[in-house]
Amino acid sequence: MATTMDTLSHKAQRAAFGVALDMALKHIEKDTSKGLLDVLDISQKFMGDTFKKETFEAIRAYISNPENKWMQFVDRHLHRLHPNVIKTTALNLGFEAAFRGTKTIRKMRQEHHCNIPWLILMDPTAACNMRCTGCWAAEYGHNHNLTFEQMDDIITQGKELGIYFYMFTGGEPLVRKKDILRLCEKHYDVEFHSFTNSTLIDEEFCKECVRVGNLSFSLSLEGFEEANDGRRGAGHFNNVMRAMDLMNRYGLIYGTSVCYTRANAEVVTSDEFLDLEIEKGCMFSWYFHFMPTGNGASPELMPTPEQRKYMIKRIREIRANEGGKQIYTMDFQNDGEFVGGCIAGGRNYFHINSNGDAEPCVFIHYSNVNIKDHTLLEVLKSPLFMAYHREQPFNRDHLRPCPMLENPQMLRKMVEESGAHSTDMESPESVDHLCAKCDDYAAAWAPVAKEIWAEQKHKKPSYTNYDPAQERGVFQEKIDT
Ligand code: SF4
């Protein structure tokens, strides 16, 4: 059945969706449920062929229940956020990325027989304005930058492939905040997100973010004041709090990015820590398992199997429909079952460092290609990316998704076979050195993960990129059985 969208050009589709959204947002001011039901009706009318009818029905039931925890969450933030931020995010993340982008990406995957991601992460700079323990960015980072033209070119190429979501990491991305705002302006139809240490967020920048409407933030935080500032320097914790208050006042979208380690896993998931984030207006908290990437990394900071088991239970408890907290939590190492395991290598995302090297993942510093002399499609078809495409999922047990952390034999094999080189600009690390730090961890975690995985109720059917025209890796067969 043809939907409203089929008969209109892209520009006209976006404009029509925008007008309908404006009307719905007016309703939201008076009655959130009514306004949201309007948005849902519009979405179904426009995008009904992209998502299942049952999905729309399930969302309708949620919206109609004012007692629902997530409805209360949405209600609170809809009244806090600036209208231009709400509208632009709905248009860019919803209409462009999720609806139109997904359709194009699916088509491109079939056409090109390689991974096409939904999201690209890039480092505008390796420079940083802080001097954290063990980090070299302040000293050497200014030597490595992506130019505005290079980032613009990546996004322009990406849009052709259906990619409408871009994130900035670093270094400290906001060292380049003028260029980031220029990108937001030029690519007004794309959604941007920046990880940040928060120290460069000021009043003027917040005003600009409201004006463009398509930039949100993850603020790095590692615990309460003493533990956080112990690594990041005196005053950092208070700076994060200051930035949150400012962004809250201007109605921006933000949350935290938390690296959990053996030293802080319990604290950063405590009721007190989450209550503080909620009070400060955070919408989400992304949890990242500590990765021993880099010659100087300390493997002893990796969480114990007991701590990882605790994290699985605790993160799900926090975001459960009943109880928990009104903040959306995600643990990228333990939520693999919802996304089919590892999302790197262009399956859902990949990373471009400040030197232009295209890496399968922000934690995997190996590459065959650089965007300075290769197109995005050439990157996605490069040997290491194609190895990811061929071998994913790296394990049928999605509590062991990573080719480095839980299946180090896979990364050794892929890097060696693809001839990828280290992209570490300061101290190149061999794949053997990196994976050797994960061998004991992987062996200790495997039996615990297997036990938990066997009890998981909502396992999604697995998938494969297997193409009979291509060779399947032998290790895959071993892990599968
Ligand atoms: S390579 Fe590892 S850390 Fe990166 S996305 Fe895949 S599973 Fe996660």
Side-chain angles (χ1 to χ4, degrees):
M1 190 182 72
T3 63
T4 310
M5 284 304 189
D6 298 330
T7 53
L8 300 172
S9 72
H10 178 194
K11 230 177 162 180
Q13 284 176 17
R14 185 178 164 98
F17 195 66
V19 170
L21 262 178
D22 279 336
M23 278 160 53
L25 287 174
K26 278 210 178 99
H27 279 141
I28 284 176
E29 280 171 23
K30 296 184 201 114
D31 180 345
T32 310
S33 289
K34 165 114 186 51
L36 284 176
L37 286 170
D38 287 351
V39 174
L40 192 68
D41 288 344
I42 298 160
S43 307
Q44 190 165 13
K45 199 161 135 202
F46 280 59
M47 314 172 189
D49 58 343
T50 311
F51 306 103
K52 285 185 189 155
K53 200 171 154 231
E54 298 81 58
T55 308
F56 286 100
E57 289 313 316
I59 302 173
R60 203 162 271 124
Y62 260 88
I63 297 174
S64 307
N65 177 9
E67 298 305 312
N68 183 281
K69 166 182 154 181
W70 293 115
M71 252 315 283
Q72 291 171 0
F73 167 89
V74 170
D75 188 43
R76 185 156 51 88
H77 287 291
L78 279 179
H79 287 94
R80 180 187 71 77
L81 293 170
H82 191 281
N84 190 45
V85 172
I86 303 176
K87 183 182 171 185
T88 314
T89 307
L91 276 169
N92 294 4
L93 204 55
F95 172 72
E96 300 288 2
F99 166 57
R100 287 195 75 256
T102 301
K103 275 187 171 178
T104 312
I105 285 167
R106 284 180 188 153
K107 204 171 102 210
M108 291 295 171
R109 282 176 184 160
Q110 287 192 339
E111 207 173 303
H112 295 288
H113 302 284
C114 63
N115 282 335
I116 307 281
W118 198 70
L119 155 75
I120 295 177
L121 229 77
M122 57 181 147
D123 299 352
T125 181
C128 184
N129 59 325
M130 288 179 64
R131 288 170 182 267
C132 300
T133 316
C135 181
W136 51 269
E139 257 94 335
Y140 310 102
H142 58 276
N143 296 328
H144 304 285
N145 293 290
L146 291 176
T147 64
F148 171 82
E149 288 72 25
Q150 284 165 341
M151 292 190 281
D152 177 32
D153 184 43
I154 291 165
I155 298 164
T156 306
Q157 288 186 58
K159 282 156 81 171
E160 290 291 310
L161 297 171
I163 308 162
Y164 278 76
F165 195 15
Y166 296 82
M167 288 191 182
F168 302 111
T169 47
E172 168 51 43
L174 297 189
V175 166
R176 300 280 305 282
K177 60 185 173 184
K178 284 202 176 118
D179 281 333
I180 288 179
L181 286 170
R182 273 174 78 197
L183 290 171
C184 291
E185 244 171 5
K186 179 165 183 191
H187 299 282
Y188 64 90
D189 51 353
V190 156
E191 189 64 21
F192 294 97
H193 184 87
S194 182
F195 289 82
T196 175
N197 64 30
S198 81
T199 53
L200 298 173
I201 293 169
D202 55 23
E203 196 124 11
E204 194 193 334
F205 182 61
C206 287
K207 281 183 194 158
E208 285 296 277
C209 292
V210 166
R211 182 176 63 80
V212 291
N214 55 349
L215 178 59
S216 58
F217 301 91
S218 287
L219 277 57
S220 306
L221 198 58
E222 294 180 15
F224 290 109
E225 189 167 359
E226 199 183 330
N228 183 79
D229 291 3
R231 200 180 91 72
R232 298 193 153 242
H236 178 255
F237 179 85
N238 286 332
N239 229 316
V240 177
M241 299 299 120
R242 175 202 59 83
M244 285 177 177
D245 289 342
L246 207 52
M247 289 194 287
N248 198 357
R249 185 140 52 84
Y250 278 91
L252 298 174
I253 296 175
Y254 59 92
T256 55
S257 155
V258 181
C259 173
Y260 65 92
T261 67
R262 192 169 297 197
N264 72 356
E266 291 79 9
V267 172
V268 294
T269 49
S270 65
D271 281 348
E272 295 74 21
F273 189 77
L274 290 153
D275 288 341
L276 174 71
E277 290 183 317
I278 294 167
E279 186 198 314
K280 292 285 174 185
C282 293
M283 297 182 76
F284 54 84
S285 197
W286 307 143
Y287 287 89
F288 295 91
H289 184 291
F290 173 79
M291 294 291 187
T293 307
N295 278 323
S298 315
E300 59 279 5
L301 275 178
M302 286 194 279
T304 63
E306 292 69 33
Q307 283 178 313
R308 185 156 173 189
K309 192 174 171 182
Y310 168 76
M311 287 298 286
I312 297 173
K313 187 169 159 283
R314 178 64 179 145
I315 294 296
R316 290 166 197 222
E317 191 176 272
I318 296 164
R319 69 169 181 232
N321 286 339
E322 310 276 327
K325 299 280 177 189
Q326 281 189 21
I327 184 167
Y328 196 75
T329 49
M330 236 174 106
D331 175 350
F332 286 88
Q333 215 54 35
N334 289 324
D335 281 333
E337 70 180 278
F338 305 105
V339 287
C342 171
I343 57 172
R347 190 178 148 249
N348 289 116
Y349 103 102
F350 74 94
H351 177 238
I352 299 169
N353 73 13
S354 56
N355 190 41
D357 300 306
E359 302 162 339
C361 170
V362 71
F363 299 113
I364 307 284
H365 298 172
Y366 300 96
S367 175
N368 306 96
V369 270
N370 190 294
I371 54 103
K372 289 174 193 160
D373 35 47
H374 290 90
T375 64
L376 276 192
L377 258 183
E378 285 168 351
V379 164
L380 293 162
K381 292 183 179 185
S382 67
L384 186 54
F385 278 66
M386 286 310 286
Y388 263 73
H389 175 69
R390 207 165 47 237
E391 305 288 356
Q392 283 165 327
F394 296 109
N395 203 309
R396 299 284 181 205
D397 172 348
H398 290 323
L399 290 171
R400 291 187 287 155
C402 188
M404 171 181 72
L405 190 67
E406 298 101 353
N407 308 280
Q409 74 281 20
M410 293 299 301
L411 190 67
R412 282 189 180 100
K413 173 181 176 280
M414 293 194 297
V415 169
E416 276 159 19
E417 286 184 2
S418 65
H421 61 88
S422 168
T423 51
D424 190 314
M425 291 171 266
E426 195 44 34
S427 172
E429 181 176 34
S430 75
V431 72
D432 262 335
H433 186 267
L434 172 64
C435 291
K437 287 180 275 184
C438 302
D439 287 335
D440 288 348
Y441 175 98
W445 174 239
V448 186
K450 262 186 192 169
E451 213 174 283
I452 307 171
W453 186 243
E455 289 165 10
Q456 294 294 89
K457 289 192 193 97
H458 306 293
K459 276 183 221 149
K460 286 209 169 161
S462 204
Y463 74 97
T464 172
N465 285 323
Y466 177 64
D467 176 345
Q470 295 175 334
E471 278 277 313
R472 184 101 168 123
V474 285
F475 280 98
Q476 189 66 55
E477 317 304 333
K478 284 186 187 163
I479 287 170
D480 286 350
T481 50

